[in-house]
């Protein structure tokens, strides 16, 4: 295998050294995805090389795991099978185009959010940011449908089109890209939405080599508000109103000492003195619209039962940067207790208080201490269906195997309970959620498998990650 | 460090890789920070991957593979990853110390680069890391409370630094002594995991310093100073870097402004490991026009020569220095540092740029005046 791959990428970019392979064997989701090394790591430098590697692997039925930046926090790039090729795409790191006119960017897999923001900033444009570190791949995030982002106003879907190489070497171009590489700016070209069908998949169809995404304007006029609530219920009306009226650029409801540390960028603040829940709000816009929105938001704050919090300017600035210029400190969730676990779901705001109760209950049932239990709600515009991304978080000491077992138990009991309570969807497919879900989605599961079978009949693409 | 402590640190790593870049906000520059990962590219060469390999070593799942030497020793121990990580993960151990411990474990299994073995041999035979047998003698100085500990690199490879420091000490009017028979402080052995081999040197130096009666040690080499601080028992003497000492006496020195546009490269040992950032800048602001590089202070890009990299992985060391020189050229005309290792490696990659240690510039400022 090494010799054949060497022919494709050259000596320097293929290794089967077991120590190097070992460094890809585990991420922070080790309680759910056991460590396993790939047999080799290969770093293609061009899409042609990606294609040749896929053809070789397909012919020889060798599992391939696409890896763009490897920070997915769900064990999605940890091999399931022996003798796998880890396809490290980090050399494919070109920003192919920033189109100021079209408000789009086209990127290769290893372009990170930080790299892209550094390049779009001068145009006063930005991508939609996940609450993930700036070091994650823009392409992988968008392709995985990382649609729970720091700015609710950006809405839901940022992917316009992409190019994917299938295991048989065929190249698929989605949307308007199918007609012309020069016009990759529209999601729907002809026929079904292939991009939509293939997205949200952990590398199980093929390898995406280029993706075009939307960029959003950066406004100079910004104002942050932090509104404290004693209970989740108390905040609901306020959150609903400001999102329904589309007044805010960003809106998150957080418990008072978890993700908020990242938004404020410091552990060194007396978080205990804050009310139990804090709505973190950012108003932004062009002159005229900004002032109008700001007045209305203040009005809503005044009418709410929440308390407007006096937060130091430095922390407010940090919140603005994290929200609209790229999240850098969200990883502080690791620092609270050493590791973080979450179940991420989509659901309506109306269900949010129930999710919180379920979260506390399942954690207690699994024996997880109450002070390890946290909450994060991110409404997503536009607000039809009152769409929210909801994260049921547990921050814990990752070195404690006993807590690890309790968290496994938490997942086991919580997945069916959430499905019973009613959710819109899981934030992405990963270990543990597929099993309890399949028998609830009827023939869709069969169809999904059949499509995958069609694209990857030899089952080489990250096998074992879904079914 | 005990295995359990190391494991705890390893389990703190969420693999976010923020340690591979400088802080993004507010400048919004996306700049690499980890020389090893940037150069060697594979995950194993970034802090999160290296931690994972250490896990494999502790669990005896990783043996002596072809690349293990490079993974364990192809890291400058610059500590830049730690500066970033500690803000995020509240890890209690320092990455540079963790990686040093990793080496110590490998040395225990006989796994170390030939170049490092040779250094130990040279130190054993000659008392200095370069194996120089012709002893350098100085006008014997045995007076005063201050002892200038020169260190192998200033003594045998970058003597301008030593000469400049002596001139500056004289200009200050400080009574000082120098050890005629100075022995390597052991820094390079500690950094390359050869702790046992270093112990004898520590003992020799302790004896020599106690005999000298010095109350203060002044170093031009931050590597030596760090070793005295971290690896030696408390000798009850004050430890000062040349830049600290000079900054304290800046008002006693008649120096003039050199009119140069300089930038300052923070040596890892001086900055990140000893926390000394301001003294060098105070001096430079007095004698030159100081312009900061983008990657500076806690987030300075390493010069590439630390951690035994220069001797074992010369190409990597030179590439790292070259990256720094490129950045320096975008910033100023002259590159300064405050460490003989940095000067040596940066000068080798300088591509025509002038490179000085700060004490050399201070001496120049004295000379110009006289
Ligand atoms: C603290 C923290 C907070 C986070 N918060 C958020 C958040 O708010 N929102 C959010 O969306 N995400 C969040 N994430 C997850 C992060 O966004 C993911 O890392 C990212 O979405 C994808 O991971 P990656 O870029 O590292 O891709 P990888 O880990 O490289 O890959 C992820 C998956 O995609 C597949 N894949 C990778 N590249 C390709 C390709 N070119 N073609 C086909 N398949 C490919 C892989 O095989 C794997 O299955 C968070 C992560 C952290 C650490
Ligand atoms: S910053 Fe810390 S937690 Fe993140 S990858 Fe680096 S070492 Fe791991
Ligand atoms: S010590 Fe320096 S070279 Fe080594 S992993 Fe950390 S940042 Fe990279």
């Amino acid at each position: 295998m090494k010799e054949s791959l060497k022919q494709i990428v050259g000596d320097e970019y293929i290794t089967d050294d077991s120590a190097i392979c070992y460094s890809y064997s585990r991420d922070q989701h080790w309680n759910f995805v056991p460590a396993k090394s790939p047999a080799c790591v290969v770093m293609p430098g061009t899409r042609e090389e990606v294609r040749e590697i896929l053809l070789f692997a397909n012919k020889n039925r060798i599992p391939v795991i696409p890896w763009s930046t490897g920070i997915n926090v769900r064990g999605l790039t940890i091999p399931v099978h022996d003798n796998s090729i880890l396809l490290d795409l980090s050399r494919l790191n070109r920003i192919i185009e920033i189109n100021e006119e079209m408000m789009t960017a086209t990127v290769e897999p290893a372009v990170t959010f930080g790299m892209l923001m550094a390049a779009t900033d001068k145009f006063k444009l930005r991508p939609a940011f996940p609450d993930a570190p700036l070091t994650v791949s823009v392409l992988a995030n968008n392709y995985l449908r990382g649609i729970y982002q720091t700015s609710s106003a950006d809405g839901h879907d940022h992917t316009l089109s992409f190019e994917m190489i299938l295991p048989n070497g065929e190249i698929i171009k989605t949307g308007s890209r199918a007609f012309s590489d020069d016009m990759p700016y529209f999601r729907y070209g002809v026929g079904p939405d292939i991009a939509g069908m293939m997205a949200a998949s952990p590398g199980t169809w093929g390898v995406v080599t280029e993706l075009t995404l939307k960029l959003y304007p950066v406004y100079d006029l910004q104002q942050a508000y932090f509104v404290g609530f004693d209970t989740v219920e108390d905040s609901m009306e306020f959150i609903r109103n400001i999102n329904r009226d589309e007044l805010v650029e960003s809106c998150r409801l957080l418990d008072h000492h978890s993700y908020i540390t990242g938004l404020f960028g410091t552990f060194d603040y007396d978080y205990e003195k804050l009310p139990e829940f804090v709505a973190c709000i950012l108003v932004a816009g062009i002159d005229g619209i900004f002032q109008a929105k700001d007045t209305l938001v203040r009005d809503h704050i005044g009418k709410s039962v929440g308390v407007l919090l006096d937060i130091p300017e430095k922390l407010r600035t940090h919140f603005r940067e994290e929200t609209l210029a790229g999240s850098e400190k969200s990883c502080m969730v690791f620092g609270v207790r050493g590791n973080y676990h979450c179940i991420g779901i989509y659901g309506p705001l109306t269900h949010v208080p129930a999710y919180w109760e379920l979260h506390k209950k399942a954690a207690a049932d699994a024996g997880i201490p109450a002070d390890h239990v946290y909450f994060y709600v991110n409404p997503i515009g536009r607000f039809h269906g009152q769409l929210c991304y909801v994260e049921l978080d547990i921050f814990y000491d990752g070195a404690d195997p006993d807590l690890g077992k309790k968290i496994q138990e938490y997942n086991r009991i919580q997945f069916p309970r959430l499905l019973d309570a009613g959710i819109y969807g899981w934030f992405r497919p990963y270990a543990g959620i597929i099993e309890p879900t399949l028998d609830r989605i009827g023939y869709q599961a069969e169809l999904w498998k059949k499509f995958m079978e069609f694209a990857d009949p030899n089952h080489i693409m990250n096998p074992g990650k879904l079914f | 460090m005990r295995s359990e402590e190391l494991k705890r640190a390893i389990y703190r790593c969420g693999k976010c890789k923020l340690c591979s870049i400088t802080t993004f906000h507010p400048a919004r520059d996306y700049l690499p920070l980890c020389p090893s990962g940037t150069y060697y590219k594979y995950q194993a060469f970034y802090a999160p991957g290296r931690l994972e390999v250490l896990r494999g070593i502790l669990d005896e799942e990783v043996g002596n593979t072809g690349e293990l030497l490079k993974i364990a020793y192809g890291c400058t121990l610059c500590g830049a990853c730690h500066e970033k990580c500690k803000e995020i993960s509240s890890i209690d151990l320092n990455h540079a110390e963790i990686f040093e411990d990793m080496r110590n474990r490998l040395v225990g299994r006989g796994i170390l680069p030939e170049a490092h073995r040779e250094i130990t041999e040279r130190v054993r035979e000659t008392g200095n890391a370069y194996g120089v047998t012709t002893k350098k003698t100085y006008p014997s100085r045995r007076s005063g409370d201050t002892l200038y500990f020169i260190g192998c690199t200033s003594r045998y490879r970058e003597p301008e630094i030593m000469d400049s420091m002596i001139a500056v000490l004289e200009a200050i009017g400080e009574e000082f002594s120098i050890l005629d028979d100075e022995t390597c402080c052991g820094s390079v052995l500690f950094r390359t995991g050869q702790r046992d081999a270093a112990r004898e040197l520590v003992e020799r130096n302790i004896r020599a310093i106690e005999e000298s009666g010095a109350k203060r040690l002044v170093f031009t080499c931050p590597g030596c100073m760090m070793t005295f601080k971290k690896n030696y028992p408390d000798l009850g003497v004050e430890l000062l870097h040349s830049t600290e000492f000079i900054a304290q006496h800046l008002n006693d020195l008649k120096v003039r402004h050199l009119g140069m546009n300089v930038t300052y490269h923070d040596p890892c040992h001086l900055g990140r490991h000893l926390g000394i950032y301001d003294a060098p800048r105070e001096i430079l602001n007095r004698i030159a026009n100081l312009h900061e590089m983008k990657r500076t202070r806690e987030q300075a890009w390493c010069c590439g020569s630390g951690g035994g990299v220069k001797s074992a992985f010369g190409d990597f060391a030179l590439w790292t220095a070259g990256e720094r020189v490129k950045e320096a050229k975008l910033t100023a005309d002259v590159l300064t540092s405050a460490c003989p290792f940095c000067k040596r490696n940066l000068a080798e990659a300088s591509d025509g740029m002038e490179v000085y240690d700060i004490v050399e510039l201070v001496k120049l400022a004295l000379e110009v005046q006289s």
Side-chain angles (χ1 to χ4, degrees):
Chain A
M1 173 153 91
K2 189 178 173 189
E3 277 314 306
S4 308
L5 292 170
K6 204 194 284 184
Q7 301 293 321
I8 300 170
V9 293
D11 205 10
E12 203 185 329
Y13 296 112
I14 157 82
T15 180
D16 59 359
D17 182 86
S18 58
I20 294 185
C21 291
Y22 196 85
S23 68
Y24 294 83
S25 70
R26 204 183 67 134
D27 64 12
Q28 60 52 265
H29 205 51
W30 57 78
N31 281 311
F32 300 91
V33 179
K36 189 168 185 66
S37 292
C40 69
V41 181
V42 57
M43 280 189 183
T46 61
R47 70 205 250 278
E48 287 69 33
E49 288 178 4
V50 173
R51 187 169 171 273
E52 284 183 53
I53 294 164
L54 286 179
L55 283 170
F56 165 78
N58 197 36
K59 189 166 153 219
N60 296 285
R61 295 176 184 249
I62 303 169
V64 175
I65 297 132
W67 190 101
S68 283
T69 42
I71 314 177
N72 61 79
V73 284
R74 282 293 175 281
L76 294 177
T77 54
I78 308 305
V80 174
H81 298 286
D82 288 340
N83 203 34
S84 302
I85 297 173
L86 191 130
L87 191 65
D88 181 335
L89 298 161
S90 49
R91 288 174 68 211
L92 301 178
N93 61 1
R94 285 180 311 149
I95 297 174
I96 292 165
E97 184 195 48
I98 293 171
N99 195 318
E100 186 190 1
E101 186 69 21
M102 299 294 168
M103 295 171 67
T104 62
T106 300
V107 295
E108 289 190 331
V111 172
T112 64
F113 280 98
M115 285 160 76
L116 186 58
M117 182 64 200
T120 58
D121 200 26
K122 59 175 171 291
F123 303 113
K124 290 218 170 254
L125 292 171
R126 60 169 178 82
F129 292 106
D131 237 333
L134 284 157
T135 40
V136 307
S137 154
V138 175
L139 180 149
N141 185 267
N142 278 274
Y143 172 64
L144 272 181
R145 239 181 24 222
I147 44 180
Y148 49 112
Q149 67 283 334
T150 58
S151 166
S152 42
D154 297 349
H156 194 251
D157 265 318
H158 317 295
T159 300
L160 291 166
S161 69
F162 57 75
E163 171 190 273
M164 177 187 269
I165 307 181
L166 295 181
N168 65 4
E170 292 293 345
I171 297 176
I172 292 196
K173 297 179 184 196
T174 70
S176 58
R177 186 187 280 264
F179 299 127
S180 162
D181 279 335
D182 295 335
M183 293 186 67
Y185 312 121
F186 187 50
R187 173 70 173 259
Y188 309 101
V190 60
D193 175 15
I194 303 280
M197 191 178 81
M198 289 182 156
S201 119
T204 53
W205 296 89
V207 178
V208 182
T209 42
E210 252 182 59
L211 182 139
T212 302
L213 64 144
K214 298 175 189 170
L215 298 175
Y216 300 91
V218 175
Y219 301 114
D220 290 334
L221 296 170
Q222 297 179 6
Q223 180 63 50
Y225 295 103
F226 303 88
V227 190
F229 294 93
D230 291 333
T231 65
V232 172
E233 285 87 348
D234 283 353
S235 68
M236 288 297 102
E237 195 185 340
F238 170 67
I239 303 264
R240 175 181 167 277
N241 289 340
I242 57 172
N243 282 288
R244 197 185 170 100
D245 291 347
E246 296 180 6
L247 298 177
V248 289
E249 199 70 6
S250 176
C251 171
R252 266 169 284 181
L253 177 72
L254 308 170
D255 66 79
H256 67 170
H257 44 3
S258 60
Y259 261 104
I260 203 162
T261 53
L263 294 190
F264 287 179
T266 180
F267 290 120
D268 192 18
Y269 180 74
D270 187 5
Y271 290 101
E272 294 296 329
K273 76 176 184 200
L274 297 174
E276 180 141 8
F277 294 94
V278 181
C280 305
I281 309 292
L282 193 74
V283 183
I286 55 170
D287 200 16
I289 291 179
F290 166 74
Q291 290 83 352
K293 283 183 173 178
D294 193 49
T295 307
L296 290 167
V297 167
R298 281 169 183 272
D299 203 34
H300 280 301
I301 295 172
K303 283 186 201 144
S304 78
V305 295
V307 184
L308 187 61
L309 303 171
D310 184 16
I311 302 295
E313 189 48 39
K314 194 170 162 222
L315 309 190
R316 304 165 78 85
T317 304
H318 196 270
F319 167 66
R320 288 197 294 271
E321 285 170 342
E322 283 282 304
T323 301
L324 295 184
S327 165
E328 187 163 30
K329 292 289 173 68
S330 58
C331 280
M332 286 170 70
V333 291
F334 296 130
V336 176
R337 284 207 166 73
N339 201 340
Y340 114 110
H341 171 73
C342 87
I343 295 182
I345 53 171
Y346 294 103
L349 187 70
T350 47
H351 283 41
V352 161
Y355 296 145
W356 172 231
E357 291 308 317
L358 275 178
H359 183 32
K360 285 188 292 186
K361 174 145 189 357
D365 291 349
I368 294 163
D371 64 357
H372 285 39
V373 176
Y374 304 95
F375 199 45
Y376 171 111
V377 182
N378 188 342
I380 297 172
R382 307 181 76 171
F383 207 44
H384 308 285
Q386 294 203 0
L387 179 64
C388 292
Y389 168 70
V390 180
E391 206 164 276
L392 312 179
D393 294 313
I394 296 162
F395 294 0
Y396 70 109
D397 178 356
D400 180 345
D402 183 47
L403 262 173
K405 287 206 183 74
K406 288 177 176 159
I407 286 166
Q408 288 169 358
E409 174 63 7
Y410 169 83
N411 269 15
R412 198 188 60 74
I413 57 182
Q414 186 68 308
F415 290 142
R417 287 183 191 178
L418 285 167
L419 286 165
D420 290 344
I423 63 171
Y424 285 156
W426 304 111
F427 87 113
R428 65 178 57 142
Y430 63 92
I433 58 151
I434 295 292
E435 298 80 354
T437 307
L438 282 184
D439 58 358
R440 303 202 186 210
I441 59 171
Y443 190 65
Q444 189 192 323
E446 279 314 298
L447 201 61
W448 185 1
K449 286 182 194 169
K450 282 193 172 127
F451 281 139
M452 277 179 53
E453 180 77 29
F454 184 72
D456 178 23
N458 293 338
H459 307 281
I460 64 157
M461 291 311 305
N462 208 1
K465 280 301 166 201
L466 286 178
F467 307 114
Chain B
M1 285 174 202
R2 289 180 303 118
S3 301
E4 297 75 49
E5 273 181 284
L6 289 171
K7 282 255 182 84
R8 277 194 73 77
I10 294 167
Y11 278 72
R12 281 252 151 189
C13 174
K15 316 288 178 212
C16 67
K17 238 165 151 179
L18 280 167
C19 50
S20 67
I21 54 158
T22 56
T23 296
F24 189 71
H25 296 303
R28 296 184 191 167
D29 289 317
Y30 195 85
L31 302 171
L33 192 56
C34 168
S36 153
T38 314
Y39 183 74
Y40 289 115
K41 297 186 179 64
Y42 290 110
Q43 181 78 345
F45 296 93
Y46 288 99
R50 192 167 271 120
L51 287 172
E52 214 42 40
V53 175
L54 173 58
R55 183 178 68 85
I57 293 169
L58 295 172
D59 290 346
E60 302 198 351
E61 288 178 351
V62 168
N64 190 6
T65 69
E67 297 288 326
L68 183 63
L69 270 189
K70 212 192 280 165
I71 296 169
Y73 298 91
C75 155
T76 59
L77 302 184
C78 68
C81 48
H82 181 68
E83 289 298 327
K84 282 301 297 291
C85 185
K86 71 181 186 195
E87 294 172 5
I88 299 153
S89 70
S90 41
I91 186 171
D92 33 20
L93 298 181
N94 184 304
H95 291 69
E97 288 170 14
I98 295 172
F99 298 146
E100 199 177 298
D101 201 82
M102 174 180 185
R103 295 172 177 193
N104 185 244
R105 281 161 195 273
L106 292 180
V107 167
R109 298 180 198 177
I111 303 170
L112 73 162
E114 201 41 48
H116 293 175
R117 260 187 236 277
E118 286 167 7
I119 291 177
T120 312
E121 278 315 304
R122 287 201 294 269
V123 173
R124 255 194 210 120
E125 283 164 18
T126 62
N128 68 79
Y130 297 103
V132 179
T133 47
T134 43
K135 216 161 128 201
K136 277 230 159 162
T137 49
Y138 304 94
S140 194
R141 294 174 179 276
R142 298 220 161 272
S143 60
D145 291 341
T146 300
L147 188 147
Y148 170 33
F149 191 94
I150 300 170
C152 303
T153 306
S154 299
R155 215 174 242 259
Y156 300 110
R157 290 292 181 270
E158 299 294 330
E160 314 78 37
I161 296 179
M162 172 185 69
D163 295 339
S164 302
M165 187 62 200
I166 290 173
V168 173
L169 283 164
E170 281 168 349
I172 290 170
E174 180 77 6
E175 291 274 301
F176 68 98
S177 58
I178 288 172
L179 294 175
D180 285 343
D181 196 16
E182 188 183 280
T183 305
C184 170
C185 68
S187 171
V188 62
L189 305 190
F190 281 111
R191 306 294 82 83
T192 56
Q194 305 181 78
R195 290 180 191 155
D196 289 340
R199 301 227 190 280
E200 196 193 314
L201 304 178
V202 173
E203 276 158 29
R204 240 201 279 178
N205 275 316
I206 292 174
R207 268 199 309 277
I209 286 156
E210 280 172 354
E211 276 167 23
S212 78
K215 297 201 173 78
R216 178 182 310 111
L217 299 188
V218 175
F219 302 86
T220 34
C221 176
C224 298
M225 177 162 159
M226 180 181 115
T227 305
F228 270 83
K229 221 168 199 158
K230 294 207 166 149
N231 302 107
Y232 279 54
D234 184 0
L235 302 177
V237 295
E238 189 185 10
L239 307 176
L240 283 177
H241 185 252
S242 51
T243 54
E244 292 179 298
F245 187 80
I246 295 169
Q248 280 175 8
H249 292 86
L250 210 48
N251 291 335
D252 309 333
L253 274 174
K254 292 203 178 102
V255 284
R256 66 175 243 184
H257 199 279
L258 296 167
M260 290 175 176
N261 288 322
V262 305
T263 187
Y264 173 63
H265 164 78
D266 287 278
C268 306
H269 284 148
L270 190 64
R272 285 185 280 257
H273 297 311
L274 290 170
I276 299 168
Y277 297 104
D278 294 333
R281 290 176 167 81
E282 196 186 330
I283 300 168
L284 286 173
N285 276 320
R286 184 72 71 88
I287 61 174
N289 306 316
L290 175 62
H291 304 273
E292 293 285 356
M293 286 182 269
K294 282 188 173 173
R295 291 176 294 184
T296 185
R297 298 178 72 99
E298 287 86 351
Q299 297 190 9
W301 175 260
C302 169
C303 81
S305 68
V309 161
K310 181 81 182 155
S311 53
F313 304 101
D315 291 350
F316 165 42
L318 214 53
W319 171 85
T320 306
E323 292 299 296
R324 192 58 164 163
V325 168
K326 278 189 217 157
E327 190 176 357
K329 281 189 170 174
L330 292 174
T331 317
D333 306 324
V334 173
L335 174 56
T336 67
S337 189
C339 164
F341 270 93
C342 294
K343 187 196 162 189
R344 188 152 175 252
N345 205 35
L346 292 169
E348 209 174 320
S350 67
D351 190 22
M353 188 169 204
E354 284 180 84
V355 183
Y356 294 106
D357 190 285
I358 288 181
V359 294
E360 292 177 82
L361 284 195
V362 175
K363 185 184 170 219
L364 204 62
L366 294 171
E367 283 174 355
V368 168
Q369 207 228 6
S370 63

